[in-house]
Amino acid sequence: MTHAVSAPPVPAPALAPNEIVPLLIGSTVGEVERELVLQTLGRCGGNRTRAARVLGVSVRTLRNKIRQYVADGIDVPEHRD
């Protein structure tokens, strides 16, 4: 029996708390979530399956979020699975 080996997630650059907090202040939870999803998709090269795994959500949930972002006119990294 063979086991698939998945590539480890690309680590995010470490940010000091004083760099993170200004980004969050004045943002809604939805805006922060959207930015996290988009940044994760970008770091995963548009791979929805990998991004969902990194985010800890199902691929279906991620696709639903992406569908909403596109409907809202937000650019989403190109799909690659």
Side-chain angles (χ1 to χ4, degrees), residues 13-45:
L15 293 175
N18 65 339
E19 293 175 298
I20 295 171
V21 174
L23 171 70
L24 302 177
I25 292 175
S27 298
T28 66
V29 170
E31 291 167 341
V32 172
E33 179 187 64
R34 182 178 62 234
E35 190 59 31
L36 180 62
V37 167
L38 295 174
Q39 290 288 329
T40 302
L41 277 167
R43 289 183 181 273
C44 291

Side-chain angles (χ1 to χ4, degrees), residues 41-42 44-50 77-81:
L41 277 167
C44 291
N47 185 304
R48 269 55 167 162
T49 303
R50 183 180 296 162
E78 186 177 320
H79 174 68
R80 293 188 188 123
D81 264 341

Side-chain angles (χ1 to χ4, degrees), residues 34 62-74 76:
R34 182 178 62 234
L62 181 60
R63 287 183 180 144
N64 288 338
K65 290 183 183 303
I66 291 168
R67 192 173 294 119
Q68 183 61 53
Y69 301 158
V70 170
D72 292 343
I74 296 166
V76 176

